[in-house]
Amino acid sequence: MTIMIGLIDMELSRHDKVLLSELIGDASTLIAGAFKTDILRVKNFLNKLMELVKRINEENGNIVFGFELHEKLDSDMELVAEDIMHCRQSGRECIKIDLQNNFLPISDILVADLDKISNFSADNERIFIRVEGTVIQTIINGVIRKKVDVLAPGAREPRLTKYGRSGSSYALLIKDHHKIQLPKEMEFFWNDRRKRVLIAERQTEKILQNSLFRWIEQNLIDGRVRTEVHSISQERTDIEIQTFQGEVFVIEIKWLGVNAAKTKFDEQRIKEGMDQIFVYLGRDPLATRGVLVCYDGRHEREHSTNSVIDEKSKHMKGDYYVLFLPSETASEIRR
């Protein structure tokens, strides 16, 4: 998870000060939960560390640095700003630190690149706090939960695309993909278009998942999207959207119909997917929403009459979409 925390309050509006305070509280809750320790203990640590980061930024300008966070290290060396600058001068951009602010000038990674830290964090179930200038992130098990500039905590990092959407508009991202992108790809996905049989050279579900993932990756303007990742709940989710403001949207992909391997799924598959969303949200209370996307390859009549679900089985933070797979080519649709 990633959380931006900061105590730089120079020229901050009252709103931004409140926002920073809330972010520190959110970060403390996440880290305390991961370590199963007291939230106040984590808050005190974060406050001290953020003051240190503030001073380094004021005296040395923008730096990139990573802190591999542990609950308790075998060290009694309290971290000061000079230690960080000395490590940087020695070519090390990551160190180990614990909740008592004691540190060891070592880490299994030398550079504080976001990809390297995220991958190492995910592979080793570690917590990192990464500093890039005035931007601070907390990364738990490779997942970025929030990203905030401590001088402008409400700022976003927009990326302009023709079909750009925010993470909170996940429904529109999904529907845009179905309307705009899928028709271009479906001619490669059908094994027998007339009989509505999907290909099975690769896992059918994976094909649709990758297609949606690529679309979101290209058009998400305010966050990061990952596929096949372990969520905080330790469940492996198909797609996760993490916005810079800390929202997390979990997407589960299913398909209905039949493929060339004669695998067949009907409306029961929808219920199975909703049950999975229920499990994800039950084990990960920090997830903002859980979304099931069912791509239906059946004939439209069967699709419209049988693709239903008992609304009582839907989680209060869960959504679902059943989308009919087009059998026309993109050129036929344009006509």
Side-chain angles (χ1 to χ4, degrees):
M1 323 159 188
T2 296
I3 305 153
M4 295 276 344
I5 326 144
L7 299 183
I8 301 177
D9 54 9
M10 298 179 300
E11 302 182 16
L12 287 183
S13 67
R14 194 162 90 180
H15 170 77
D16 281 344
K17 290 178 182 177
V18 170
L19 180 56
L20 279 176
S21 178
E22 291 177 350
L23 290 169
I24 293 171
D26 291 344
S28 301
T29 301
L30 290 168
I31 295 172
F35 282 138
K36 296 182 173 56
T37 191
D38 182 64
I39 294 177
L40 182 58
R41 179 187 179 199
V42 180
K43 271 189 179 181
N44 291 336
F45 160 75
L46 289 178
N47 282 322
K48 184 176 290 188
L49 181 62
M50 292 311 112
E51 285 290 357
L52 183 63
V53 170
K54 169 186 173 181
R55 187 151 63 87
I56 291 173
N57 185 266
E58 290 172 347
E59 296 176 358
N60 299 281
N62 290 342
I63 68 166
V64 176
F65 205 78
F67 301 91
E68 182 182 330
L69 186 56
H70 295 256
E71 185 173 8
K72 183 72 176 72
L73 289 171
D74 186 17
S75 170
D76 57 3
M77 296 189 295
E78 185 172 0
L79 182 69
V80 296
E82 290 74 17
D83 295 319
I84 293 176
M85 300 313 297
H86 176 73
C87 287
R88 282 177 50 79
Q89 291 163 6
S90 302
R92 288 168 291 166
E93 292 183 347
C94 292
I95 62 173
K96 294 183 179 181
I97 190 171
D98 67 16
L99 295 178
Q100 288 71 45
N101 205 42
N102 295 321
F103 82 103
L104 290 172
I106 57 172
S107 178
D108 292 312
I109 53 177
L110 292 178
V111 294
D113 292 346
L114 181 56
D115 286 345
K116 291 185 182 298
I117 285 180
S118 294
N119 290 334
F120 181 84
S121 171
D123 292 341
N124 298 277
E125 299 184 352
R126 300 288 174 81
I127 301 176
F128 272 83
I129 295 175
R130 181 178 180 271
V131 177
E132 184 173 354
T134 58
V135 174
I136 305 169
Q137 304 164 322
T138 303
I139 304 169
I140 303 179
N141 296 342
V143 179
I144 297 182
R145 299 303 294 257
K146 296 186 180 180
K147 182 177 182 180
V148 176
D149 187 324
V150 294
L151 291 182
R156 291 177 178 263
E157 297 184 11
R159 175 158 45 106
L160 299 179
T161 70
K162 183 177 180 180
Y163 301 108
R165 304 281 191 185
S166 66
S168 59
S169 298
Y170 58 86
L172 294 177
L173 281 165
I174 292 168
K175 291 176 182 178
D176 285 347
H177 168 258
H178 178 249
K179 178 181 178 181
I180 299 164
Q181 185 61 25
L182 262 190
K184 300 176 184 177
E185 300 181 358
M186 284 309 302
E187 56 189 289
F188 305 109
F189 291 173
W190 289 117
N191 175 268
D192 187 326
R193 181 192 304 275
R194 185 177 61 83
K195 294 181 179 179
R196 304 194 65 81
V197 177
L198 293 161
I199 66 171
E201 284 82 357
R202 295 175 292 159
Q203 188 179 355
T204 305
E205 204 160 271
K206 187 77 171 179
I207 297 170
L208 294 163
Q209 174 185 324
N210 288 343
S211 177
L212 178 58
F213 169 75
R214 288 192 301 268
W215 178 265
I216 296 175
E217 187 177 42
Q218 292 165 6
N219 295 289
L220 180 66
I221 64 172
D222 67 343
R224 178 187 185 195
V225 60
R226 303 181 71 196
T227 184
E228 292 291 341
V229 294
H230 284 291
S231 66
I232 304 168
S233 66
Q234 300 304 306
E235 297 289 340
R236 182 173 289 279
T237 57
D238 288 343
I239 297 175
E240 283 189 2
I241 297 173
Q242 306 143 22
T243 72
F244 296 146
Q245 299 305 308
E247 298 166 306
V248 176
F249 302 97
V250 178
I251 301 176
E252 178 69 21
I253 308 297
K254 300 294 181 190
W255 65 276
L256 292 82
V258 63
N259 68 11
K262 298 185 179 179
T263 302
K264 188 174 182 180
F265 291 119
D266 57 17
E267 58 272 14
Q268 179 63 24
R269 191 68 169 164
I270 305 175
K271 183 180 185 306
E272 292 172 8
M274 288 305 299
D275 289 344
Q276 280 184 262
I277 291 296
F278 212 99
V279 170
Y280 293 157
L281 295 175
R283 294 184 181 176
D284 184 359
L286 299 172
T288 308
R289 302 289 291 181
V291 187
L292 170 66
V293 181
C294 282
Y295 292 105
D296 199 334
R298 299 173 298 174
H299 285 285
E300 191 164 7
R301 182 182 304 168
E302 187 176 1
H303 160 88
S304 58
T305 57
N306 292 330
S307 296
V308 295
I309 187 171
D310 181 2
E311 292 291 329
K312 295 179 181 178
S313 68
K314 189 174 75 169
H315 193 283
M316 62 182 298
K317 295 197 299 182
D319 292 320
Y320 73 94
Y321 303 96
V322 180
L323 304 173
F324 183 66
L325 291 175
S327 59
E328 304 93 336
T329 64
S331 58
E332 288 172 340
I333 291 175
R334 283 195 296 272
R335 289 200 299 268

Coordinates of all heavy atoms in Angstrom, one line a residue, residues 161-212:
T161 N -5.6 11.6 -22.1 CA -5.9 10.6 -23.1 C -7.3 10.9 -23.7 O -8.1 11.5 -23.0 CB -5.8 9.2 -22.6 OG1 -7.0 9.0 -21.8 CG2 -4.5 8.9 -21.8
K162 N -7.5 10.4 -24.9 CA -8.8 10.7 -25.5 C -9.9 10.1 -24.7 O -11.0 10.8 -24.6 CB -8.8 10.1 -26.9 CG -10.0 10.3 -27.7 CD -9.9 9.7 -29.1 CE -11.2 10.0 -29.9 NZ -11.1 9.5 -31.3
Y163 N -9.7 9.0 -24.1 CA -10.8 8.3 -23.3 C -10.4 8.3 -21.8 O -10.8 7.4 -21.1 CB -11.0 6.9 -23.8 CG -11.4 6.8 -25.3 CD1 -10.5 6.4 -26.3 CD2 -12.7 7.3 -25.7 CE1 -10.9 6.3 -27.6 CE2 -13.0 7.2 -27.1 CZ -12.1 6.8 -28.0 OH -12.5 6.7 -29.3
G164 N -9.7 9.3 -21.4 CA -9.2 9.3 -20.0 C -10.3 9.4 -19.0 O -11.3 10.1 -19.2
R165 N -10.2 8.5 -18.0 CA -11.2 8.5 -16.9 C -10.5 8.4 -15.6 O -9.4 7.8 -15.5 CB -12.1 7.3 -17.0 CG -12.9 7.1 -18.3 CD -14.0 8.1 -18.4 NE -14.9 7.7 -19.6 CZ -15.9 8.4 -20.0 NH1 -16.3 9.5 -19.3 NH2 -16.6 8.1 -21.0
S166 N -11.1 8.9 -14.5 CA -10.6 8.7 -13.2 C -10.9 7.3 -12.7 O -11.8 6.6 -13.2 CB -11.2 9.7 -12.2 OG -12.6 9.5 -12.1
G167 N -10.2 6.8 -11.6 CA -10.4 5.5 -11.1 C -11.8 5.4 -10.5 O -12.5 4.3 -10.6
S168 N -12.4 6.4 -10.0 CA -13.7 6.4 -9.4 C -14.8 6.2 -10.5 O -15.9 5.9 -10.2 CB -14.0 7.6 -8.5 OG -13.9 8.8 -9.3
S169 N -14.4 6.5 -11.7 CA -15.3 6.3 -12.9 C -15.0 4.9 -13.5 O -15.1 4.7 -14.7 CB -15.1 7.4 -13.9 OG -15.4 8.6 -13.4
Y170 N -14.7 3.9 -12.7 CA -14.4 2.6 -13.1 C -15.5 2.0 -14.0 O -15.2 1.3 -15.0 CB -14.1 1.6 -12.0 CG -15.3 1.5 -11.0 CD1 -16.3 0.6 -11.3 CD2 -15.4 2.3 -9.9 CE1 -17.4 0.5 -10.4 CE2 -16.5 2.2 -9.0 CZ -17.5 1.3 -9.3 OH -18.5 1.2 -8.4
A171 N -16.7 2.4 -13.7 CA -17.9 1.8 -14.6 C -17.7 2.3 -16.0 O -18.0 1.6 -17.0 CB -19.2 2.3 -14.0
L172 N -17.3 3.6 -16.2 CA -17.2 4.2 -17.5 C -16.0 3.6 -18.2 O -16.0 3.4 -19.4 CB -17.1 5.7 -17.4 CG -18.3 6.4 -16.9 CD1 -18.1 7.9 -16.8 CD2 -19.5 6.1 -17.9
L173 N -14.9 3.3 -17.4 CA -13.7 2.7 -18.0 C -14.1 1.3 -18.6 O -13.7 0.9 -19.7 CB -12.6 2.5 -17.0 CG -11.8 3.7 -16.7 CD1 -11.0 3.5 -15.4 CD2 -10.8 4.0 -17.8
I174 N -14.9 0.5 -17.8 CA -15.3 -0.8 -18.2 C -16.2 -0.7 -19.4 O -16.1 -1.5 -20.4 CB -16.0 -1.5 -17.1 CG1 -15.0 -1.8 -15.9 CG2 -16.7 -2.8 -17.5 CD1 -15.7 -2.2 -14.6
K175 N -17.2 0.2 -19.4 CA -18.1 0.4 -20.5 C -17.5 0.9 -21.8 O -17.8 0.5 -22.9 CB -19.3 1.2 -20.1 CG -20.2 0.5 -19.0 CD -21.3 1.4 -18.5 CE -22.1 0.7 -17.4 NZ -23.2 1.5 -16.9
D176 N -16.5 1.8 -21.6 CA -15.8 2.3 -22.8 C -15.0 1.2 -23.5 O -15.0 1.1 -24.7 CB -14.8 3.4 -22.4 CG -15.4 4.7 -22.1 OD1 -16.6 4.9 -22.4 OD2 -14.8 5.6 -21.5
H177 N -14.4 0.4 -22.7 CA -13.6 -0.8 -23.2 C -14.6 -1.7 -24.0 O -14.2 -2.2 -25.1 CB -13.0 -1.5 -22.0 CG -12.4 -2.9 -22.4 ND1 -13.1 -4.1 -22.2 CD2 -11.3 -3.2 -23.1 CE1 -12.4 -5.1 -22.7 NE2 -11.3 -4.6 -23.2
H178 N -15.8 -2.0 -23.4 CA -16.7 -2.8 -24.1 C -17.2 -2.2 -25.4 O -17.4 -3.0 -26.4 CB -17.9 -3.1 -23.1 CG -18.9 -4.0 -23.7 ND1 -20.2 -3.5 -24.0 CD2 -19.0 -5.3 -24.1 CE1 -20.9 -4.5 -24.5 NE2 -20.2 -5.6 -24.5
K179 N -17.4 -1.0 -25.4 CA -18.0 -0.3 -26.6 C -17.0 0.0 -27.6 O -17.3 -0.1 -28.8 CB -18.7 1.0 -26.1 CG -19.4 1.8 -27.2 CD -20.0 3.1 -26.7 CE -20.6 3.9 -27.8 NZ -21.2 5.2 -27.3
I180 N -15.8 0.5 -27.2 CA -14.8 1.0 -28.1 C -13.7 0.0 -28.5 O -13.4 -0.2 -29.7 CB -14.2 2.3 -27.5 CG1 -15.2 3.3 -27.3 CG2 -13.1 2.8 -28.5 CD1 -14.8 4.5 -26.4
Q181 N -13.2 -0.7 -27.5 CA -12.0 -1.6 -27.8 C -12.4 -3.0 -28.1 O -11.8 -3.6 -29.0 CB -11.1 -1.6 -26.5 CG -9.8 -2.3 -26.7 CD -9.0 -1.8 -27.9 OE1 -9.1 -0.6 -28.2 NE2 -8.1 -2.6 -28.5
L182 N -13.3 -3.6 -27.4 CA -13.6 -5.0 -27.6 C -14.1 -5.3 -29.1 O -13.6 -6.4 -29.6 CB -14.7 -5.5 -26.6 CG -14.2 -6.2 -25.4 CD1 -15.4 -6.9 -24.6 CD2 -13.2 -7.3 -25.7
P183 N -14.9 -4.5 -29.7 CA -15.3 -4.8 -31.1 C -14.1 -4.9 -32.0 O -14.1 -5.7 -33.0 CB -16.2 -3.6 -31.5 CG -16.8 -3.2 -30.2 CD -15.7 -3.3 -29.2
K184 N -13.0 -4.2 -31.7 CA -11.8 -4.3 -32.5 C -11.0 -5.6 -32.3 O -10.3 -6.0 -33.2 CB -10.8 -3.1 -32.2 CG -11.5 -1.7 -32.4 CD -10.5 -0.7 -31.9 CE -11.1 0.7 -32.1 NZ -10.2 1.8 -31.5
E185 N -11.2 -6.2 -31.2 CA -10.4 -7.4 -30.8 C -11.2 -8.7 -30.9 O -10.6 -9.8 -31.0 CB -9.9 -7.3 -29.4 CG -9.0 -6.1 -29.1 CD -8.5 -6.0 -27.7 OE1 -8.9 -6.9 -26.9 OE2 -7.7 -5.1 -27.4
M186 N -12.6 -8.6 -31.0 CA -13.4 -9.8 -30.9 C -13.2 -10.7 -32.1 O -13.3 -11.9 -32.0 CB -14.9 -9.5 -30.8 CG -15.3 -9.0 -29.4 SD -14.8 -10.1 -28.1 CE -15.6 -11.7 -28.6
E187 N -12.8 -10.1 -33.3 CA -12.6 -11.0 -34.4 C -11.4 -11.9 -34.2 O -11.3 -13.0 -34.9 CB -12.3 -10.1 -35.7 CG -11.1 -9.1 -35.5 CD -11.1 -8.2 -36.7 OE1 -10.8 -8.6 -37.8 OE2 -11.5 -7.0 -36.5
F188 N -10.5 -11.6 -33.2 CA -9.4 -12.5 -32.9 C -9.8 -13.5 -31.7 O -9.1 -14.4 -31.4 CB -8.2 -11.7 -32.5 CG -7.8 -10.7 -33.5 CD1 -7.9 -9.4 -33.3 CD2 -7.2 -11.2 -34.7 CE1 -7.5 -8.5 -34.3 CE2 -6.8 -10.2 -35.7 CZ -7.0 -8.9 -35.5
F189 N -10.9 -13.1 -31.0 CA -11.3 -13.9 -29.9 C -12.3 -15.0 -30.2 O -12.4 -16.0 -29.4 CB -11.9 -13.0 -28.8 CG -10.9 -12.0 -28.2 CD1 -11.4 -11.0 -27.3 CD2 -9.6 -12.1 -28.4 CE1 -10.5 -10.1 -26.7 CE2 -8.7 -11.2 -27.9 CZ -9.1 -10.3 -27.0
W190 N -13.0 -14.9 -31.3 CA -14.0 -16.0 -31.6 C -13.3 -17.1 -32.3 O -12.5 -16.9 -33.2 CB -15.1 -15.4 -32.6 CG -16.0 -14.5 -32.0 CD1 -16.2 -13.2 -32.3 CD2 -17.0 -14.7 -30.9 NE1 -17.2 -12.6 -31.6 CE2 -17.7 -13.5 -30.7 CE3 -17.3 -15.9 -30.2 CZ2 -18.7 -13.4 -29.8 CZ3 -18.3 -15.8 -29.2 CH2 -19.0 -14.6 -29.0
N191 N -13.6 -18.3 -31.9 CA -13.2 -19.5 -32.6 C -14.2 -19.8 -33.8 O -13.8 -20.1 -34.9 CB -13.1 -20.7 -31.7 CG -12.8 -22.0 -32.4 OD1 -13.7 -22.7 -32.8 ND2 -11.5 -22.3 -32.6
D192 N -15.5 -19.6 -33.4 CA -16.5 -19.7 -34.4 C -17.5 -18.6 -34.1 O -18.4 -18.8 -33.2 CB -17.2 -21.1 -34.4 CG -18.2 -21.4 -35.5 OD1 -18.8 -20.4 -35.9 OD2 -18.3 -22.5 -35.9
R193 N -17.4 -17.6 -34.9 CA -18.2 -16.4 -34.7 C -19.7 -16.7 -34.8 O -20.5 -16.3 -34.0 CB -17.8 -15.3 -35.6 CG -18.6 -14.0 -35.4 CD -18.4 -13.0 -36.6 NE -17.0 -12.8 -36.8 CZ -16.3 -11.8 -36.1 NH1 -16.9 -11.1 -35.2 NH2 -15.0 -11.6 -36.3
R194 N -20.1 -17.5 -35.8 CA -21.5 -17.8 -36.1 C -22.1 -18.6 -35.0 O -23.2 -18.3 -34.6 CB -21.6 -18.5 -37.4 CG -23.1 -18.8 -37.9 CD -23.1 -19.5 -39.2 NE -22.4 -20.8 -39.2 CZ -23.0 -21.9 -38.8 NH1 -24.3 -21.8 -38.3 NH2 -22.4 -23.0 -38.8
K195 N -21.4 -19.6 -34.5 CA -21.9 -20.4 -33.4 C -21.6 -19.8 -32.0 O -21.9 -20.4 -31.0 CB -21.3 -21.8 -33.5 CG -21.7 -22.5 -34.7 CD -21.1 -23.9 -34.7 CE -21.6 -24.7 -35.9 NZ -21.0 -26.1 -36.0
R196 N -20.9 -18.7 -32.0 CA -20.5 -17.9 -30.8 C -19.7 -18.8 -29.8 O -20.0 -19.0 -28.6 CB -21.8 -17.4 -30.0 CG -22.7 -16.5 -30.9 CD -23.7 -15.8 -30.1 NE -23.1 -14.9 -29.1 CZ -22.7 -13.7 -29.5 NH1 -22.8 -13.2 -30.7 NH2 -22.1 -12.9 -28.6
V197 N -18.6 -19.4 -30.4 CA -17.7 -20.2 -29.6 C -16.4 -19.4 -29.5 O -15.8 -19.0 -30.5 CB -17.4 -21.5 -30.3 CG1 -16.3 -22.3 -29.5 CG2 -18.7 -22.3 -30.5
L198 N -15.9 -19.2 -28.3 CA -14.7 -18.4 -28.1 C -13.5 -19.3 -28.2 O -13.5 -20.5 -28.1 CB -14.7 -17.8 -26.6 CG -15.8 -16.7 -26.4 CD1 -16.0 -16.6 -24.9 CD2 -15.4 -15.4 -27.0
I199 N -12.3 -18.7 -28.5 CA -11.1 -19.4 -28.6 C -10.6 -20.0 -27.3 O -11.0 -19.4 -26.2 CB -10.0 -18.6 -29.3 CG1 -9.5 -17.4 -28.3 CG2 -10.3 -18.0 -30.6 CD1 -8.3 -16.7 -28.8
A200 N -9.8 -21.0 -27.3 CA -9.3 -21.6 -26.1 C -7.9 -21.9 -26.2 O -7.4 -22.8 -25.4 CB -10.2 -22.8 -25.8
E201 N -7.1 -21.3 -27.1 CA -5.7 -21.6 -27.2 C -5.0 -21.2 -25.9 O -4.1 -21.8 -25.4 CB -5.1 -20.9 -28.4 CG -5.3 -21.5 -29.7 CD -6.7 -21.1 -30.3 OE1 -7.4 -20.4 -29.6 OE2 -7.0 -21.5 -31.4
R202 N -5.5 -20.1 -25.4 CA -5.1 -19.6 -24.0 C -6.3 -19.6 -23.1 O -7.4 -19.8 -23.6 CB -4.4 -18.2 -24.1 CG -3.2 -18.2 -24.9 CD -2.7 -16.7 -25.0 NE -3.6 -15.9 -25.8 CZ -3.7 -14.6 -25.8 NH1 -2.9 -13.9 -24.9 NH2 -4.5 -13.9 -26.5
Q203 N -6.1 -19.4 -21.9 CA -7.3 -19.3 -21.0 C -8.2 -18.2 -21.4 O -7.8 -17.0 -21.5 CB -6.8 -19.1 -19.5 CG -7.9 -19.2 -18.5 CD -7.4 -19.0 -17.1 OE1 -6.2 -18.9 -16.9 NE2 -8.3 -19.0 -16.1
T204 N -9.4 -18.5 -21.7 CA -10.4 -17.6 -22.3 C -10.5 -16.4 -21.3 O -10.5 -15.2 -21.8 CB -11.7 -18.2 -22.5 OG1 -11.5 -19.4 -23.3 CG2 -12.7 -17.3 -23.2
E205 N -10.7 -16.6 -20.0 CA -10.9 -15.6 -19.1 C -9.7 -14.6 -19.1 O -9.8 -13.4 -18.9 CB -11.0 -16.2 -17.7 CG -11.8 -15.3 -16.7 CD -12.3 -16.2 -15.6 OE1 -13.5 -16.7 -15.7 OE2 -11.6 -16.4 -14.6
K206 N -8.5 -15.2 -19.2 CA -7.2 -14.4 -19.2 C -7.2 -13.4 -20.4 O -6.7 -12.3 -20.2 CB -6.0 -15.3 -19.2 CG -4.7 -14.6 -19.0 CD -4.5 -14.3 -17.6 CE -3.1 -13.8 -17.3 NZ -2.8 -13.4 -15.9
I207 N -7.7 -13.9 -21.5 CA -7.7 -13.0 -22.7 C -8.5 -11.8 -22.5 O -8.1 -10.6 -22.7 CB -8.2 -13.8 -23.9 CG1 -7.4 -15.0 -24.2 CG2 -8.4 -12.9 -25.1 CD1 -8.0 -15.9 -25.3
L208 N -9.7 -12.0 -21.9 CA -10.6 -10.8 -21.7 C -10.0 -9.9 -20.5 O -10.1 -8.7 -20.6 CB -12.0 -11.3 -21.3 CG -12.7 -12.1 -22.4 CD1 -13.8 -12.9 -21.9 CD2 -13.2 -11.1 -23.5
Q209 N -9.4 -10.6 -19.5 CA -8.8 -9.8 -18.4 C -7.7 -8.9 -19.0 O -7.6 -7.7 -18.6 CB -8.3 -10.8 -17.4 CG -7.5 -10.1 -16.3 CD -6.9 -11.2 -15.4 OE1 -7.5 -12.2 -15.1 NE2 -5.7 -10.9 -14.9
N210 N -6.8 -9.5 -19.8 CA -5.7 -8.7 -20.3 C -6.2 -7.5 -21.2 O -5.6 -6.5 -21.2 CB -4.8 -9.6 -21.1 CG -4.0 -10.5 -20.2 OD1 -3.9 -10.3 -19.0 ND2 -3.4 -11.6 -20.8
S211 N -7.2 -7.8 -21.9 CA -7.8 -6.7 -22.8 C -8.3 -5.5 -22.0 O -8.0 -4.4 -22.3 CB -8.9 -7.3 -23.7 OG -9.5 -6.2 -24.5
L212 N -9.0 -5.8 -20.9 CA -9.6 -4.8 -20.0 C -8.4 -4.1 -19.3 O -8.4 -2.9 -19.2 CB -10.6 -5.3 -19.0 CG -11.1 -4.3 -18.0 CD1 -11.8 -3.2 -18.7 CD2 -12.1 -5.1 -17.1

